[in-house]
Amino acid sequence: QVPLVETGGGLVQPGGSLRLSCATSGSISNINPRAWHRQAPGKQRELVARITSGGSTIYADSVKGRFTISGDNAKNTVDLQMNNLKPEDTAVYYCNAVRRVGLAEYNYWGQGTQVTVSA
């Protein structure tokens, strides 16, 4: 069972909006989803947005001003509100959690959710 579960992808026209949500599946304990990545066909996976437990955020330059990441520490969820979508936002979007144990870093991913922006 994948440790993270994403929902909310789909097909939308340029200029439209989608909201992605991510929650833990419960298969692995003590992981906190904090970031969204995406991978378009033929391209490497890239960071879209990240949020810290304190609420600080960073965004890829390509989505600044259009996407907003938010997290709920109590529910252990992270959402991505995507507005003014463009065809170049088309990709599979993955939720990510990182757990650090000493000097080691472990990444956890969901199965991904497809976002397609097309007229």
Side-chain angles (χ1 to χ4, degrees):
Q1 186 177 11
V2 293
L4 301 170
V5 180
E6 304 101 336
T7 56
L11 172 65
V12 64
Q13 292 186 344
S17 298
L18 282 175
R19 187 176 184 88
L20 306 182
S21 296
C22 172
T24 58
S25 68
S27 63
I28 298 177
S29 61
N30 298 324
I31 59 171
N32 307 105
R34 291 277 184 263
W36 287 93
H37 296 241
R38 67 186 181 187
Q39 187 166 17
K43 294 187 177 181
Q44 289 189 336
R45 191 172 298 189
E46 63 175 359
L47 174 69
V48 176
R50 187 187 305 279
I51 186 169
T52 69
S53 58
S56 299
T57 57
I58 60 170
Y59 295 93
D61 287 343
S62 59
V63 307
K64 282 181 181 177
R66 300 187 297 121
F67 290 12
T68 302
I69 188 170
S70 59
D72 188 323
N73 292 333
K75 296 181 179 179
N76 211 14
T77 59
V78 64
D79 292 349
L80 185 69
Q81 177 66 41
M82 306 184 294
N83 298 328
N84 190 22
L85 283 160
K86 303 176 180 180
E88 50 265 42
D89 296 317
T90 295
V92 178
Y93 284 69
Y94 296 92
C95 181
N96 171 251
V98 179
R99 184 167 65 178
R100 295 173 177 85
V101 181
L103 297 179
E105 187 174 279
Y106 301 91
N107 275 279
Y108 300 91
W109 301 93
Q111 80 286 353
T113 185
Q114 177 70 47
V115 171
T116 303
V117 185
S118 175

